[in-house]
């Protein structure tokens, strides 16, 4: 069966009141961007409270649906067949023909739902539904009507033409990208941070990212792994500006000057300082991390408080209450898992102490950082000035 259009349904956008049109316009913009990568001239329109994608005569159905399933804000994607309006009798025949082509020999329960966008139509919605339901019963003697919990709902929308659909393909939900500001993601090569980026983007936040590279302790392949992860996240979030920071000299200096059980916390604090520098420069409204309470030593409540202390921007942790398996399930869903588990170490894992402190005392940490005063500002300046910017997507 050839589908001529897709009806796009949303949820949260509908309760935005007077600002609703801003969210709808943002949704349409993201849909156009997603569909621009597919061959064919797709028309994305908003009419009478509905969002439609009108398709070219020839297009790849699966590829189109896949693109729309990566647009945050879409809850359902309904493939539509459009018929000319030649009166009720022809409409009823078209509805039966649709059923015969889509569900030959149908023997389950169904109902017909009619929506009249064209209010001048001479029959009411209930009359149309009842009449078409009767024609379907004649054509499918094994089928039965169930208006409360049908196995199949045939939707008929009466506009200038007749729109018929029955399938609903799940969308990603959330809010359209760009409707809730911008934030900076601390992106590593692990499983958690790409998921965190995906989840915050799902709430309409545009994301940028910073990655801490430590050559020669981390390889170019480790860097490429993070670039690949950013590309996978960008399929949902839109373009990402990735800041690649050379962190080697800072890590080595901390390693030489500070107690080894505090290494992870102190290095993390300097990562947060650098990430916030770029976040403020690029007008981000917060930082994003993939931390989950208690997952590792640097993610206890005390450790998170110690890293938060150096930030003036809020730090958002979308997976804070998830266990590892829940995070893995999302990473599989967004296709980042297989890339994340590639065996290329990043700087966070190279300099981990054998027995890291799990309940750091802030006063002790500050005193340890005082030992860095002689050289750390110079090293920070060098890291900031030599940062590589990679535009993803």
């Amino acid at each position: 069966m050839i589908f001529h259009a897709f009806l796009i349904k949303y949820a949260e956008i509908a309760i935005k009141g007077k600002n609703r049109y801003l969210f709808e316009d943002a949704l349409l913009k993201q849909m156009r961007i997603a569909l621009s990568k597919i061959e064919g001239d797709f028309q994305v329109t908003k009419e009478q409270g509905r969002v439609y994608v009108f398709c070219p005569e020839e297009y790849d159905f699966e590829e189109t649906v896949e693109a729309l399933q990566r647009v945050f804000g879409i809850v359902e994607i309904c493939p539509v067949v459009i018929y000319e309006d030649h009166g009720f009798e022809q409409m009823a025949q078209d509805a039966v023909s649709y059923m015969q082509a889509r569900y030959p020999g149908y023997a389950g329960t169904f109902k017909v739902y009619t929506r009249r966008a064209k209010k001048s139509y001479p029959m009411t919605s209930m009359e149309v539904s009842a009449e078409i339901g009767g024609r379907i019963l004649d054509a499918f003697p094994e089928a039965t009507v169930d208006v409360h919990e049908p196995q199949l709902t045939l939707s008929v929308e009466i506009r200038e033409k007749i729109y018929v659909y029955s399938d609903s393909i799940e969308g990603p939900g959330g809010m359209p990208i760009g409707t809730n500001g911008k934030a900076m993601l601390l992106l590593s090569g692990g499983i958690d941070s790409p998921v965190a980026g995906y989840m915050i983007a799902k709430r309409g936040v545009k994301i940028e990212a910073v990655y801490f590279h430590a050559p020669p302790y981390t390889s170019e392949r480790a860097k490429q792994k993070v670039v690949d992860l950013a590309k996978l996240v960008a399929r949902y979030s839109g373009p990402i500006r990735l800041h690649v920071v050379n962190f080697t000299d800072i890590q080595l200096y901390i390693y030489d000057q500070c107690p080894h059980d505090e290494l992870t916390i102190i290095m993390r604090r300097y990562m947060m300082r650098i990430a916030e520098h770029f976040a403020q420069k690029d007008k981000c409204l917060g930082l994003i991390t993939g931390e989950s309470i208690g997952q590792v030593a640097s993610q206890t409540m005390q450790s998170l408080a110690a890293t938060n202390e150096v930030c003036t921007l809020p730090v958002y942790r979308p997976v804070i209450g998830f266990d590892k398996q829940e995070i893995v399930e999302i990473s599989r869903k967004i296709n980042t898992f297989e890339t994340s588990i590639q065996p290329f170490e990043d700087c966070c894992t190279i300099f981990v102490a054998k027995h890291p402190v799990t309940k750091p005392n802030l006063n002790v940490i500050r005193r340890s950082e005082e030992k860095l005063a002689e050289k750390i500002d110079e090293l920070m300046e060098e890291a900031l000035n030599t940062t590589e910017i990679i535009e993803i997507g």
Side-chain angles (χ1 to χ4, degrees):
M1 175 173 281
I2 298 175
F3 295 101
H4 307 114
F6 294 95
L7 167 63
I8 304 300
K9 295 184 179 180
Y10 51 70
E12 286 182 73
I13 294 175
I15 61 172
K16 293 302 179 182
K18 293 180 180 179
N19 292 325
R20 174 173 166 175
Y21 77 96
L22 296 173
F23 292 87
E24 288 179 334
D25 290 347
L27 176 62
L28 267 63
K29 177 183 176 181
Q30 293 303 318
M31 289 168 59
R32 291 184 182 115
I33 292 171
L35 293 170
S36 68
K37 302 175 177 64
I38 300 174
E39 186 176 350
D41 183 20
F42 294 88
Q43 301 297 318
V44 181
T45 65
K46 179 174 62 173
E47 43 183 78
Q48 296 176 300
R50 296 294 225 201
V51 174
Y52 282 100
V53 177
F54 293 100
C55 305
E57 287 188 13
E58 294 185 5
Y59 69 99
D60 188 312
F61 177 86
E62 298 296 335
E63 190 177 8
T64 303
V65 169
E66 186 179 342
L68 292 171
Q69 284 182 308
R70 294 196 295 267
V71 178
F72 291 130
I74 294 177
V75 174
E76 294 180 42
I77 305 161
C78 303
V80 175
V81 176
I82 302 175
Y83 300 96
E84 296 294 332
D85 183 7
H86 294 304
F88 174 76
E89 287 300 323
Q90 184 61 50
M91 182 201 303
Q93 290 179 30
D94 291 337
V96 171
S97 297
Y98 175 95
M99 286 288 293
Q100 289 171 332
R102 194 84 182 111
Y103 310 102
Y106 186 72
T109 61
F110 76 96
K111 78 171 182 179
V112 178
Y113 172 78
T114 302
R115 187 174 187 266
R116 288 189 312 154
K118 184 179 180 181
K119 298 303 182 184
S120 61
Y121 200 80
M123 297 172 67
T124 68
S125 296
M126 290 187 67
E127 287 172 342
V128 172
S129 294
E131 287 294 329
I132 291 179
R135 307 295 176 90
I136 292 173
L137 286 173
D138 291 339
F140 296 86
E142 298 298 318
T144 54
V145 172
D146 184 344
V147 296
H148 299 294
E149 294 184 358
Q151 295 169 295
L152 168 69
T153 297
L154 180 71
S155 295
V156 178
E157 292 201 3
I158 303 173
R159 299 175 174 269
E160 293 306 313
K161 296 184 179 182
I162 309 302
Y163 294 40
V164 179
Y165 62 94
S166 59
D167 295 328
S168 178
I169 302 168
E170 185 178 5
M175 299 294 290
I177 294 295
T179 56
N180 278 312
K182 181 166 63 172
M184 180 67 70
L185 170 67
L186 280 78
L187 182 63
S188 73
I191 296 171
D192 305 336
S193 58
V195 170
Y198 163 83
M199 291 182 66
I200 210 80
K202 186 175 180 179
R203 300 308 307 156
V205 178
K206 180 174 174 56
I207 62 173
E208 296 196 5
V210 57
Y211 163 62
F212 295 92
H213 192 40
Y217 301 97
T218 55
S219 66
E220 283 300 305
R221 189 62 191 87
K223 173 183 165 183
Q224 185 58 48
K225 173 183 174 182
V226 173
V227 171
D228 292 342
L229 287 170
K231 289 178 180 178
L232 292 170
V233 175
R235 297 173 76 208
Y236 295 90
S237 70
I240 296 173
R241 175 176 293 172
L242 176 63
H243 304 71
V244 180
V245 179
N246 189 331
F247 202 58
T248 308
D249 291 342
I250 294 174
Q251 282 192 294
L252 289 174
Y253 187 52
I254 295 171
Y255 188 85
D256 288 339
Q257 300 295 321
C258 298
H260 284 195
D261 63 340
E262 299 173 9
L263 288 176
T264 303
I265 296 299
I266 294 174
M267 288 177 185
R268 191 72 177 169
R269 280 162 64 91
Y270 278 95
M271 288 178 179
M272 299 296 267
R273 290 179 172 107
I274 290 172
E276 183 168 88
H277 167 86
F278 289 116
Q280 292 176 333
K281 182 179 178 182
D282 294 345
K283 296 181 171 58
C284 295
L285 301 176
L287 304 178
I288 312 162
T289 77
E291 293 162 313
S292 171
I293 291 175
Q295 190 174 130
V296 294
S298 63
Q299 295 177 20
T300 63
M301 289 289 282
Q302 294 87 344
S303 295
L304 295 178
T307 54
N308 270 21
E309 196 240 359
V310 302
C311 300
T312 56
L313 289 175
V315 182
Y316 300 104
R317 298 178 169 95
V319 299
I320 190 74
F322 288 12
D323 62 35
K324 194 66 177 185
Q325 187 55 41
E326 290 171 317
I327 299 171
V328 166
E329 286 173 5
I330 298 174
S331 73
R332 290 186 186 279
K333 173 184 173 182
I334 64 174
N335 295 320
T336 56
F337 179 75
E338 294 300 330
T339 302
S340 292
I341 63 173
Q342 290 176 2
F344 302 107
E345 302 286 359
D346 60 29
C347 67
C348 295
T349 57
I350 298 297
F351 291 92
V352 173
K354 288 184 178 179
H355 303 289
V357 61
T358 58
K359 297 180 180 180
N361 182 296
L362 267 175
N363 292 325
V364 174
I365 295 295
R366 291 193 197 106
R367 284 197 296 270
S368 295
E369 288 185 346
E370 290 173 3
K371 301 173 186 176
L372 304 172
E374 181 180 344
K375 196 176 176 182
I376 193 66
D377 289 344
E378 176 187 336
L379 294 176
M380 286 276 285
E381 190 69 23
E382 178 68 16
L384 295 175
N385 291 336
T386 58
T387 294
E388 177 187 4
I389 307 294
I390 302 175
E391 300 290 349
I392 305 292

